[in-house]
Amino acid sequence: MNNKTELRRRQAADGCELPSDLHPLLRRLYAHRGVRQASELERGAKNLHAFHSLSGIDKAAEILQQAIAADLCIMIVGDFDADGATSTALTALALRSMGGNNVKYLVPNRFDDGYGLSPDVVEQAAARGAQLILTVDNGISSHAGVSLAHEKGIAVVITDHHLPGETLPDADAIVNPNLPDCRFPSRSLAGVGVAFYLMLALRARLRDSGVTALPNLAELLDLVALGTVADVVPLDANNRILVWQGLSRIRAGKCRPGIRALLEIANRDARQLNASDLGFALGPRLNAAGRLDDMSVGVALLLSDDLAQARMLASELDALNQTRKEIERGMQAEALALCNALERESETLPLGIAMFHPEWHQGVVGILASRLKERFHRPVIAFAPSGDGMLKGSGRSVSGLHMRDALERLDTLHPGLMIKFGGHAMAAGLTLEEAKFDEFRQRFGDLVGEWLDKESLQGVIWSDGELMAQELTLPTAELLREAGPWGQAFPEPQFDGRFTLIQQRLVGERHLKVMLEPLGGGPLLDGIAFNVDTTLWPDNSVRQVELAYKLDINEFRGNRSVQLIIEHLWPL
């Protein structure tokens, strides 16, 4: 095991009172994830938190109701990621099904417009006849855009989930679970979750006013599940219900043609779909549109009612995603060279890494930052040029450092260093002048060095312990698959153990296929480790290994068998 990683076993949270009739393995796994009572495991829609405690939601619903009654042009302004695309599509579908006859949408272009309700976006909305702007997954920091909209006589309703700054835009209504005065029990809603709740509130308001022909909004939960998982928000109890309900609809074939087309192009069986498939197969293809081109393609896919058209759009997104992967590979190679140069200069990497390359693609720097964070176990911000001497950066953090708070502290200590910033604990974006990059890199590294120590930057591999030989079975794998949804802050179960390595060979270019037997005896098991270091593996001199793995189901030509998805392996 290298000195950057440490295997640790999860411990049960205090005060767990889980039912005695719950399967012992599940009781252990849920306790490791802080579940204290059975009510936190409910997955029925009736157990969702009510919308009433979301501050501002009644006012927002009232404004939308009046806009529909007056046949105003409602312009939805979204964001250029998967959360923004699903939010935009959901809101457009819901408003149109509730009587909105003049509902349009506008997705800012990452390269031309930047993020959020900027003055340029307001101008575009006004030119297209907007009389009410409804933001989804953005707007909480759009002071100038809201002011310009009001100057033009356009009302603004903001729905967002990003952390607010010290002051709020002067919008006509704001719905955001992270507002200081909001008493909604879950602050972890994705943008699409906030939009869904507002549509629930609007539907209730219309029903109370006597409208009878109203839609079943549960039909949109496939979009909620996709956006929630793709945005990597914590899967607290409420989000798990939203995701489970959406997954259940997709598995039953009750999903949008666009999601069905994405499943086909990603070669995923809807009947066996997991939350991880939403995050690793569908989400990246949808995100590719906003990263490299224009997210309006993604929104059009999600809105499409025609499967043939949806398949064409999904194919376009798949091609974009392949291009994104190629760009990312080149950027990773350049980034690693920069890291090697930094290590040569100072013999060690700074605890907070900021890097820039003049040929990097601003749509891919977020993924690059995430990859570097995983490799070096420290906060990373990657920058790309955005024109006119400006850089756009995307940061990813590690446990123990709140990225947005760190940027806010830098802004307080060094006013003018950044032009703007925003985000969450684990991810943030910012803009600065290229001439100030070297100063920013130094200041960011220094700040992280003050807030974190080297011990906190140790890479930790968390395990739920060992599985006994008799648990390494297909029924156990099926039990785990159905016990989710697993995801951010509610991680998929991972186990550790020691095995005899019977066979090993490469498949593809970098995937290690193995046959294993538990050291103490047990069934012969297939396993696969993706993207191994081919200078180390395969190694026929290694007979025994320690693994961190996930128990999975391999389906091939109608046969189902247990397979270990090997996340980490070390020779013994």
Side-chain angles (χ1 to χ4, degrees):
M1 194 180 301
N2 65 49
N3 61 5
K4 288 184 178 178
T5 57
E6 176 186 350
L7 182 66
R8 295 184 195 169
R9 288 185 173 173
R10 295 187 174 98
Q11 301 296 316
D14 295 332
C16 293
E17 298 180 2
L18 296 173
S20 58
D21 60 349
L22 189 64
H23 191 287
L25 177 58
L26 295 187
R27 196 158 61 240
R28 168 177 132 203
L29 296 174
Y30 290 143
H32 286 171
R33 284 148 185 79
V35 176
R36 288 180 168 80
Q37 51 196 8
S39 61
E40 296 175 59
L41 300 174
E42 297 289 349
R43 299 187 297 201
K46 68 179 186 297
N47 297 290
L48 285 169
H49 297 317
F51 62 78
H52 305 88
S53 57
L54 270 166
S55 66
I57 199 165
D58 291 333
K59 180 63 175 174
E62 178 187 3
I63 293 171
L64 288 173
Q65 181 187 22
Q66 292 171 351
I68 290 172
D71 202 27
L72 299 184
C73 176
I74 303 173
M75 185 68 68
I76 303 163
V77 174
D79 186 20
F80 37 66
D81 65 1
D83 189 14
T86 52
S87 302
T88 301
L90 178 144
T91 310
L93 290 165
L95 289 175
R96 290 167 182 169
S97 68
M98 289 189 281
N101 297 316
N102 197 0
V103 177
K104 302 177 182 179
Y105 67 89
L106 193 165
V107 182
N109 184 287
R110 179 191 295 268
F111 312 105
D112 300 331
D113 305 314
Y115 170 77
L117 185 65
S118 65
D120 285 347
V121 170
V122 172
E123 293 285 5
Q124 294 175 45
R128 293 180 54 191
Q131 295 168 290
L132 168 65
I133 290 174
L134 171 63
T135 74
V136 290
D137 192 33
N138 75 92
I140 200 63
S141 59
S142 300
H143 297 78
V146 172
S147 297
L148 179 60
H150 284 165
E151 288 175 20
K152 292 179 174 292
I154 303 172
V156 180
V157 172
I158 290 172
T159 71
D160 202 349
H161 70 126
H162 295 94
L163 297 174
E166 292 184 6
T167 60
L168 298 175
D170 187 25
D172 297 83
I174 300 177
V175 186
N176 183 333
N178 286 297
L179 294 180
D181 64 342
C182 186
R183 289 182 166 78
F184 190 71
S186 168
R187 294 189 178 271
S188 298
L189 283 175
V192 71
V194 180
F196 179 69
Y197 267 92
L198 177 55
M199 295 302 103
L200 290 177
L202 174 60
R203 185 185 185 279
R205 193 174 186 90
L206 291 169
R207 184 188 60 229
D208 292 344
S209 69
V211 179
T212 55
L214 290 169
N216 177 10
L217 294 179
E219 294 177 358
L220 301 176
L221 283 167
D222 55 345
L223 295 173
V224 179
L226 175 54
T228 298
V229 174
D231 210 48
V232 204
V233 295
L235 290 192
D236 62 9
N238 199 66
N239 277 339
R240 290 200 298 277
I241 296 173
L242 290 171
V243 172
W244 180 256
Q245 289 295 316
L247 275 175
S248 299
R249 294 191 67 83
I250 297 171
R251 288 175 172 180
K254 299 177 181 178
C255 64
R256 301 288 308 164
I259 290 181
R260 180 176 166 187
L262 284 174
L263 287 168
E264 290 177 356
I265 203 81
N267 197 29
R268 292 296 193 277
D269 182 352
R271 295 167 297 179
Q272 305 296 330
L273 197 70
N274 284 321
S276 60
D277 295 316
L278 298 179
F280 294 109
L282 274 64
R285 287 172 168 83
L286 193 54
N287 271 323
R291 293 189 187 284
L292 301 186
D293 190 15
D294 187 336
M295 186 47 99
S296 59
V297 179
V299 177
L301 169 78
L302 298 176
L303 287 175
S304 177
D305 289 317
D306 178 72
L307 184 58
Q309 180 197 42
R311 284 170 171 155
M312 290 175 59
L313 293 168
S315 180
E316 187 177 336
L317 292 180
D318 189 59
L320 284 170
N321 194 47
Q322 292 302 319
T323 302
R324 186 272 303 168
K325 288 180 180 179
E326 293 169 11
I327 293 170
E328 181 193 335
R329 278 194 289 269
M331 289 170 59
Q332 276 199 64
E334 291 160 350
L336 292 176
L338 289 172
C339 286
N340 289 336
L342 277 175
E343 284 185 305
R344 285 195 300 271
E345 290 172 11
S346 60
E347 296 185 358
T348 183
L349 283 173
L351 299 191
I353 300 174
M355 48 181 37
F356 157 65
H357 192 288
E359 295 179 4
W360 281 352
H361 193 294
Q362 61 176 288
V364 187
V365 286
I367 297 177
L368 177 64
S370 182
R371 300 281 191 263
L372 294 174
K373 179 207 77 170
E374 291 166 5
R375 183 177 181 116
F376 296 109
H377 312 298
R378 59 197 65 206
V380 177
I381 303 178
F383 289 89
S386 59
D388 298 325
M390 308 300 291
L391 302 181
K392 284 193 177 176
S394 188
R396 299 293 184 270
S397 195
V398 296
S399 178
L401 185 127
H402 192 296
M403 183 63 84
R404 190 195 176 281
D405 284 358
L407 295 180
E408 190 166 42
R409 181 61 177 161
L410 279 179
D411 191 52
T412 300
L413 292 173
H414 312 287
L417 180 59
M418 295 174 287
I419 293 170
K420 60 181 179 180
F421 63 91
H424 299 292
M426 302 305 288
L430 67 155
T431 303
L432 53 79
E433 297 173 28
E434 184 175 341
K436 294 185 178 178
F437 170 74
D438 287 335
E439 180 188 358
F440 177 88
R441 180 175 63 180
Q442 184 67 45
R443 303 284 193 198
F444 177 69
D446 290 346
L447 181 72
V448 175
E450 292 172 12
W451 285 19
L452 294 177
D453 56 37
K454 289 185 179 180
E455 289 299 313
S456 63
L457 299 181
Q458 174 101 353
V460 176
I461 298 159
W462 289 102
S463 168
D464 288 293
E466 292 188 72
L467 287 177
M468 294 180 289
Q470 60 267 33
E471 292 178 302
L472 294 166
T473 63
L474 191 59
T476 304
E478 290 171 334
L479 178 78
L480 296 176
R481 174 175 282 192
E482 290 303 306
W486 311 104
Q488 181 71 11
F490 200 74
E492 185 177 352
Q494 180 165 273
F495 307 98
D496 67 90
R498 297 186 170 196
F499 296 82
T500 300
L501 190 55
I502 297 172
Q503 293 178 8
Q504 51 179 311
R505 61 187 174 89
L506 282 182
V507 294
E509 293 183 1
R510 297 183 58 199
H511 310 320
L512 185 70
K513 186 80 172 173
V514 297
M515 182 179 288
L516 305 151
E517 181 184 15
L519 272 192
L524 294 182
L525 299 159
D526 287 327
I528 188 164
F530 294 105
N531 298 313
V532 297
D533 185 341
T534 55
T535 65
L536 300 177
W537 299 100
D539 183 347
N540 290 317
S541 69
V542 176
R543 298 300 180 193
Q544 295 181 343
V545 289
E546 182 174 25
L547 305 181
Y549 66 90
K550 294 172 181 173
L551 199 64
D552 193 39
I553 301 171
N554 184 34
E555 306 195 27
F556 183 67
R557 294 179 179 172
N559 295 317
R560 307 173 83 235
S561 59
V562 169
Q563 178 176 249
L564 306 190
I565 303 296
I566 300 168
E567 302 291 339
H568 303 274
L569 74 162
W570 306 275
L572 288 177

